[in-house]
Each structure stands twice: as structure tokens, then as C-alpha cells.
Amino acid sequence: MKLRVFCLVVFLLSGAAAGTDLLPTVVVVTTGGTIAEKVDPATGGAVPAVSGSALLAAVPELEEIAIVEVVEFLNIDSSHMTPEIWRDLSAKVQEILDRTDVRGVVVTHGTDTMAEGAFFLETTLESEKPVAFTGSMRNGSDLSPDGSANLYNAVLLVCSPEAAGWGVTVVLNQYINSARHVMKDNTTNVQTFDSGDFGYLGYITGNHVLVYNTVLECTRIPLPDSLPEVPLFYTFAGDDGNYIRFAVDNGASGIVVAGVGAGNVNASVFHAIEYSLENSIPVVICSRARHGEPEALYGDQGGGSSLVEAGALLAGDLSPFKARLLLMIALAQPDMGSDEMGLLFNAN
Ligand code: ASP
């Protein structure tokens, strides 16, 4: 009899009865965004108002699936995010992922620039553990806020075996997108994130993950201590290229140009890009189009093939905003040669 009592006591003390030993540890790093905002009666507009701890307290169901810790990193609308903040966020998330007891990380973030933030961390983190970005399209004062369900699903994903190998994801409205291809596609709808031609990675329903896809590519580059200036220009009819020339003369270390169609520009912009390349400032060509990739198809001055001939790089499957971040991170590497830089972009 004594042995049975002893075993029961050990079992209870070990916490196994409560199941807490069996639950994975997930750290939620909060940065702000609509998920943490409420309407300010004075202005009638949504402003940062909810702490990270309060976000977790609003989802008691989390205790059933994970041991959740919170790190309150920032509380800003993501329209104010910068690459430098993402650099510091990546360093903090890396520190957390390096803990052996941590299964993965959820980052709550504003949706306006979440796609870029997720890509920045995917590119600079050195860990195979899952990181899921989430947020909300409706604030805490709205009729039916979506933040709590999104937060629960993001923690569930990080705990699930399906997330292994997916790197950094964006989880909103049950859909799972890759950091590389996700884009915010609707200004106000809860179903705002999608990945265009590449499709969703999966879908969360009834506490489990449906797998639709695999991650096609994941570029990893060491997190730099500082980041260079890389402006982005969306070209337009009648563009004279002078803003590119101004950037070359005023501190740009690289330039990204979103061209028309398959990545074409007019002759004036073409000469401005030549001016940049002649000053050893690399130029990456993207497209204003949402689908497809820039290609060396047209041979007139400013056509894709003339740009490649002049030494510009084609961005492959990256959006202009993510190509800019990749070029910033690459240029910050002490030993990134032009060949390696070319592979980064043309290897897609
Ligand atoms: N403006 C908000 C943000 O990006 C939008 C959102 O989070 O849904 O922080």
C-alpha cells in the first residue's frame, strides 16, 4: 500500500497529472498592431492600448495546449515599423529560440507590415524551430474582434508537428502563409493575407492543421549589426529617373526598382539605373505586377534583357518590399561578393 501512495505522490508532484510536463513551452513576443489596439474616444481612432499579458489573459484556452510565456517587446502600429526594429526583434527572437525548453515563438504584430517583418526574421534567424506571426484586422473595440482566435491558432501551429520545416509563417483567419510569399491584399477584410500563385501552406480548423503545401525556398543570411540604405522606386509613366540619380548621389548602398510588366522601365530610368551601376551601387529589378516574375524578355533600352545586360539583378519571386529587405541584409554582410549576390536573387 505504502508503495502505491508513494507513486501517486510522485506522479502528482511531477505535474504529470496536470499534464503541464507534456505541454510545450511557447513564447509570445508582442510588438503592437491592431490586435493590441482599442478606439480612443477622444479621436475615434484605434490606438495601442492592450498589453501583451492582457492579450494572453483574454485567451484562457491557451493553457490547454501550451505553457505560454509573454515578452512585451513593443506596442506600436506596424505602420511605424522599421528594418532596424526588425533587426532588434530578430535578435530577441533568436535569444528565445536558443532556449532548449522553447518549442517555438509567436510574434504578434500589426498586419500592415507583417509580411515584411516575417520575411526579415525568416531571412536572419538561425533556427529550425517554428515562428508564427499573427495579429488582427479588427481592434478590441470592434463588434467581433479576430485577435484572440488568431493568437490561439498561432500558438497551436507552433506546437503542431506540421509546422516543422515551415520556418516563419503568417497565421490569420485560419490560413497559414509562408513568410516569403505572403502579402496583405485587403485593407480591412479579416481574410487579407494570401500568397498569390504559391498558395497557402495550410489551414487551421478544429484544433488541427491541414497541410496544403511545402515551403519552396528559404534564404538564410546572418543577422547584421547595422543595415544600409536601400530605397525602393515604383516606376510610372513619364518617370524621368531623377529620384534614382538623387539616391545614388545621396547615400544609397543599393536600389530596388519595381518595373512595369515583366520588369521593364523607360529609357530615362534605364540610364539612371546605368548611372547607379557605374557607381558600383547594385540595382534589383522587380515588377509592379502581383503575379509572375521579372524576366529578361524585352531588348529595347529599359527592357528586362537590357537591364540584365547592364548588370541589374532580377528579383525572382520576391515582392519589391521583400527584395529591398533581402538586398539590405545582403549588402550588410562583410564578405558578400557580386557573384553570391547574384545567386541570392537570380537563383529563384
Ligand atoms: N494599422 C495596423 C497595423 O499594422 C493594422 C493591423 O494591425 O491590422 O499595426
Side-chain angles (χ1 to χ4, degrees), residues 128-180:
E128 292 313 311
K129 293 181 180 178
V131 176
F133 274 67
T134 196
S136 73
M137 292 298 287
R138 296 181 185 143
N139 65 61
S141 306
D142 278 328
L143 185 60
S144 57
D146 53 325
S148 291
N150 290 337
L151 177 55
Y152 179 87
N153 282 340
V155 173
L156 184 83
L157 174 63
V158 162
C159 297
S160 70
E162 290 80 2
W166 275 353
V168 178
T169 55
V170 168
V171 182
L172 209 87
N173 200 36
Q174 298 174 257
Y175 283 101
I176 305 163
N177 286 278
S178 70
R180 187 176 184 90

Side-chain angles (χ1 to χ4, degrees), residues 7-261:
C7 292
L8 177 61
V9 168
V10 168
F11 176 75
L12 290 175
L13 289 175
S14 71
T20 52
D21 277 12
L22 304 178
L23 293 179
T25 297
V26 174
V27 180
V28 177
V29 180
T30 60
T31 72
T34 295
I35 193 172
E37 295 180 355
K38 285 188 174 177
V39 170
D40 174 359
T43 63
V47 294
V50 183
S51 70
S53 307
L55 284 179
L56 294 189
V59 195
E61 295 81 357
L62 285 170
E63 291 170 8
E64 298 162 19
I65 60 173
I67 297 168
V68 183
E69 298 176 13
V70 64
V71 171
E72 297 177 345
F73 184 77
L74 264 184
N75 197 349
I76 63 172
D77 190 282
S78 80
S79 51
H80 302 296
M81 278 292 179
T82 65
E84 288 71 22
I85 294 176
W86 287 325
R87 202 217 68 79
D88 295 343
L89 176 62
S90 184
K92 169 54 73 178
V93 170
Q94 185 68 60
E95 180 189 310
I96 296 167
L97 291 172
D98 288 345
R99 282 173 43 185
T100 53
D101 63 322
V102 167
R103 166 69 71 85
V105 168
V106 167
V107 177
T108 62
H109 191 290
T111 62
D112 287 357
T113 60
M114 186 186 290
E116 290 129 278
F119 179 73
F120 190 101
L121 264 68
E122 168 153 288
T123 305
T124 54
L125 286 174
E126 294 177 13
S127 171
E128 292 313 311
K129 293 181 180 178
V131 176
F133 274 67
T134 196
S136 73
M137 292 298 287
R138 296 181 185 143
N139 65 61
S141 306
D142 278 328
L143 185 60
S144 57
D146 53 325
S148 291
N150 290 337
L151 177 55
Y152 179 87
N153 282 340
V155 173
L156 184 83
L157 174 63
V158 162
C159 297
S160 70
E162 290 80 2
W166 275 353
V168 178
T169 55
V170 168
V171 182
L172 209 87
N173 200 36
Q174 298 174 257
Y175 283 101
I176 305 163
N177 286 278
S178 70
R180 187 176 184 90
H181 295 129
V182 68
M183 184 177 278
K184 182 168 181 173
D185 228 10
N186 191 298
T187 56
T188 56
N189 192 287
V190 292
Q191 184 39 42
T192 186
F193 285 122
D194 74 50
S195 294
D197 299 334
F198 300 95
Y200 300 113
L201 286 179
Y203 184 75
I204 298 174
T205 179
N207 263 9
H208 66 277
V209 176
L210 300 179
V211 177
Y212 294 162
N213 224 322
T214 56
V215 169
L216 298 178
E217 185 169 350
C218 180
T219 305
R220 297 280 191 183
I221 310 177
L223 181 67
D225 295 329
S226 61
L227 292 161
E229 185 182 330
V230 174
L232 161 61
F233 299 100
Y234 266 66
T235 192
F236 48 88
D239 186 353
D240 60 14
N242 285 343
Y243 294 111
I244 292 174
R245 293 176 184 278
F246 177 85
V248 171
D249 296 337
N250 289 274
S253 298
I255 285 176
V256 176
V257 176
V260 296

